[in-house]
Amino acid sequence: MRSSRIRRLTHLAVAAAVGLVTIVQILRPAVNQDVRYVLGALATTGAAGQSWIEVWAHRPLVARGTIALFDALSPGEFLVEETLLRAWSVALAAGAAVVLWRGLVRRVDRAAAGWSALAVGAALAWAPGWDFAEPEWYAAALAVAAIGLAVGWRRGPIGAGVLLGLVVAMKYTTVTTALAALLIVLALDRSRGLATALVTAASTVIVLAGAVLVSPHEWQWLRDMPLLNPGFRFTAVPQVIEGMVNSLVVSPITIVALVAIVGLLLRGGQGARLGLLAVAILALLVAPFMIQQQNFLYHLSALPVAAAGLVAALAARSPVLPIGLPLAGLLGLVGGVGLFALGPRTRDQNWWIADIVIAVALAAGLIALLIQLRRGMPAAQGAERPARRSRGLTLIALACLAPLVVTLSPRTAYSFSLAHNRVTAGDNHAQAEAGPDRRARAHAALPGNTPVVYLSFSAPYWLGYPTPCRYASPTFLQRAVGARAEAVAQSPSFSENLACLDDQAARAVVVEPGWFDVDRVRPEVRSALERNFDCADPAYADDGWLICRRR
């Protein structure tokens, strides 16, 4: 009776803590620069009468539609809009976790299913700032729901296959997220996994074909988009390794997953097979980051989600209470918070410090686990087993959840030593609060209903001028430099983007010199800018932007 009461109080305390952290994560961080980029592109083209279906936002149709949907449900501007968008996205994550629990509870014991779903839901809701609401993040949320659907409902494989088709179309590189989800379903139920795979293949073809039919430009952008990326280079491997180190600092839950996997592999038999499955899943989720070589941490958005689920699902059934997991989790949490307490300049020049912290957390967790495996201590014997088992699951849940709260630290930035390593949740929140004033200053110089063309990444969101150009952000003009210049310049998208500068409907141009370097772009771009707009005497020059009227 007493143990039952303690168990209920423990569960209530964990639930209350999870709820409180989730509320903080909705209200405090705002959204990142990439989400604002998409919101700005959709808003400024929409103000000129264009649909999200037909405009460029460096995101496939399904991703644009997802943001458009959540934006439509989020009235208001800047901080209000961003907070509502976060709330709706967290609701999606919570729904996915519930669906996962509903599916797992039929396959594993109730407690293990509950902790696994809780860990996965928390990993989504408390995601690092650079991950949250990115296409990869939404793909991970849909994949979580697909796993639960596939194994928990009679006709679940149909719905799961449709969701995984959307996962593939969300970013195309997210095909690995769909494959990882299919591996998990196959491990839980082979026949349902095969059925889900067949539906996924069919729905992927249907979604992609439908996207091209609805928006003919989608096929053009699918062919042109790879030109914007550097592609795989062996010389960039050291930078990619630095990126992986950054990922472990921002999301130390992955360190805990690695400890759990090693423990399974060393155990042999069924444990080793589960460990190999976990290795395959993590390898799939890391592959897009390794191949794209851009060191954007949101390319790894699904990794901490899978890590949290794997720790709870695999380690919860261990015959040994896995003390190494909470130990690695605690050290990862303390190490992550401590590393971000260092100044950005120190982190820029000494990212090897993170190697030491990660190595210590891994080593401590593995040593503790190996000692237990060597002694072969059972979790519990006889009548004590249920209570001891419950306490063990609680430890595992805390091991999953504790490292995830690195994102709560006010010093935690989007990365440790990569891009945006000076941007924190507080910075983003302050930017959103200052949004109305920034817009008002620009609109005092040029009326807010003036059609413009943008040569900027951030200005569409902050300034809100309508644009008749399909390319609210000139990615193709900006990236036609260096080794990629000729290939990008030969693309139809570059020509269309360039033509926007000659469009007389645009009465001004907004240039962001810090992002769009006029001295580096191709001569035809510079010539079109100088021919059409007077930037020698800008109407506005503040906040990092120039607004130049048409000649």
Side-chain angles (χ1 to χ4, degrees):
M1 184 69 177
R2 182 182 177 186
S3 64
S4 177
R5 185 181 300 113
I6 292 173
R7 185 166 59 250
R8 284 197 299 270
L9 289 174
T10 301
H11 292 175
L12 285 173
V14 171
V18 170
L20 178 61
V21 173
T22 302
I23 291 171
V24 171
Q25 290 293 74
I26 291 173
L27 297 177
R28 187 176 67 107
V31 297
N32 67 46
Q33 69 286 338
D34 296 323
V35 179
R36 288 170 175 167
Y37 164 87
V38 179
L39 289 170
L42 300 185
T44 53
T45 53
Q50 301 181 77
S51 166
W52 60 268
I53 294 174
E54 56 187 343
V55 299
W56 165 262
H58 211 160
R59 300 289 185 268
L61 182 72
V62 172
R64 299 198 304 275
T66 301
I67 289 292
L69 171 62
F70 285 115
D71 186 39
L73 296 171
S74 306
E77 292 183 332
F78 302 121
L79 187 57
V80 173
E81 177 187 27
E82 293 182 19
T83 301
L84 289 172
L85 188 145
R86 287 190 71 92
W88 287 114
S89 299
V90 167
L92 172 66
V98 170
V99 173
L100 178 66
W101 171 81
R102 175 69 168 73
L104 289 180
V105 80
R106 297 189 173 188
R107 305 288 165 174
V108 298
D109 64 79
R110 195 176 187 86
W115 287 124
S116 298
L118 180 65
V120 167
L124 286 166
W126 309 348
W130 206 357
D131 292 3
F132 192 90
E134 294 281 3
E136 289 83 354
W137 184 91
Y138 285 117
L142 293 180
V144 167
I147 294 168
L149 268 179
V151 300
W153 276 263
R154 183 180 176 186
R155 301 186 185 278
I158 297 175
V162 172
L163 286 181
L164 292 179
L166 293 174
V167 167
V168 174
M170 188 68 73
K171 188 75 179 285
Y172 306 134
T173 54
T174 48
V175 63
T176 59
T177 302
L179 291 173
L182 285 172
L183 282 180
I184 294 171
V185 176
L186 283 165
L188 292 169
D189 189 313
R190 189 169 181 272
S191 62
R192 284 175 174 263
L194 292 173
T196 303
L198 289 174
V199 178
T200 298
S203 67
T204 298
V205 172
I206 292 170
V207 170
L208 295 180
V212 172
L213 289 174
V214 170
S215 174
H217 265 84
E218 205 66 22
W219 180 248
Q220 174 183 309
W221 290 332
L222 178 61
R223 289 182 288 115
D224 291 350
M225 203 182 303
L227 301 174
L228 302 174
N229 299 329
F232 184 82
R233 298 158 294 153
F234 284 106
T235 56
V237 170
Q239 287 75 34
V240 173
I241 293 173
E242 181 183 356
M244 292 303 304
V245 170
N246 272 257
S247 174
L248 293 175
V249 173
V250 175
S251 300
I253 183 62
T254 309
I255 298 174
V256 188
L258 294 175
V259 173
I261 290 170
V262 171
L264 286 168
L265 292 174
L266 292 177
R267 208 168 287 138
Q270 179 67 14
R273 287 191 289 273
L274 290 174
L276 290 173
L277 172 65
V279 170
I281 290 169
L282 296 189
L284 279 171
L285 298 179
V286 168
F289 181 83
M290 302 291 288
I291 294 170
Q292 292 179 89
Q293 294 191 341
Q294 292 177 295
N295 266 3
F296 296 161
L297 291 188
Y298 68 82
H299 291 163
L300 293 167
S301 295
L303 185 62
V305 179
L310 286 169
V311 169
L314 299 179
R317 304 174 69 81
S318 170
V320 176
L321 290 177
I323 303 303
L325 298 187
L327 177 59
L330 178 61
L331 290 174
L333 169 62
V334 173
V337 173
L339 286 169
F340 279 113
L342 301 173
R345 182 173 299 179
T346 301
R347 291 189 272 116
D348 283 342
Q349 300 172 356
N350 301 283
W351 66 270
W352 55 268
I353 298 174
D355 292 347
I356 297 175
V357 172
I358 291 168
V360 168
L362 273 172
L366 288 173
I367 289 170
L369 192 64
L370 289 171
I371 290 173
Q372 286 188 291
L373 289 174
R374 186 179 182 86
R375 292 179 178 177
M377 294 188 307
Q381 297 290 341
E384 293 182 311
R385 184 178 179 87
R388 293 284 298 278
R389 180 95 174 139
S390 177
R391 288 196 293 273
L393 287 170
T394 301
L395 285 173
I396 291 162
L398 294 176
C400 280
L401 300 179
L404 295 172
V405 298
V406 167
T407 55
L408 282 180
S409 169
R411 299 293 296 273
T412 298
Y414 283 5
S415 74
F416 176 73
S417 63
L418 303 176
H420 310 301
N421 71 335
R422 288 167 169 78
V423 180
T424 66
D427 295 331
N428 252 9
H429 194 278
Q431 288 175 7
E433 286 185 318
D437 290 339
R438 299 178 77 184
R439 180 171 291 185
R441 287 195 297 270
H443 286 191
L446 185 74
N449 61 352
T450 306
V452 306
V453 60
Y454 289 99
L455 298 179
S456 170
F457 179 89
S458 62
Y461 180 75
W462 297 114
L463 302 187
Y465 291 110
T467 179
C469 181
R470 187 188 304 274
Y471 299 84
S473 185
T475 319
F476 288 94
L477 304 186
Q478 190 251 1
R479 294 201 186 178
V481 295
R484 297 170 288 167
E486 287 301 323
V488 175
Q490 295 301 316
S491 68
S493 300
F494 177 90
S495 300
E496 291 179 352
N497 201 168
L498 180 61
C500 291
L501 293 171
D502 291 317
D503 186 353
Q504 295 297 311
R507 305 311 304 163
V509 64
V510 181
V511 185
E512 185 178 349
W515 182 80
F516 193 91
D517 189 344
V518 176
D519 294 330
R520 288 190 66 215
V521 297
R522 289 182 63 84
E524 60 264 42
V525 178
R526 189 163 51 250
S527 174
L529 176 63
E530 295 172 351
R531 182 174 66 250
N532 287 287
F533 301 98
D534 180 14
C535 285
D537 183 23
Y540 181 80
D542 199 1
D543 288 325
W545 303 305
L546 297 176
I547 301 180
C548 313
R549 297 183 187 275
R550 183 169 290 279
R551 293 185 185 279

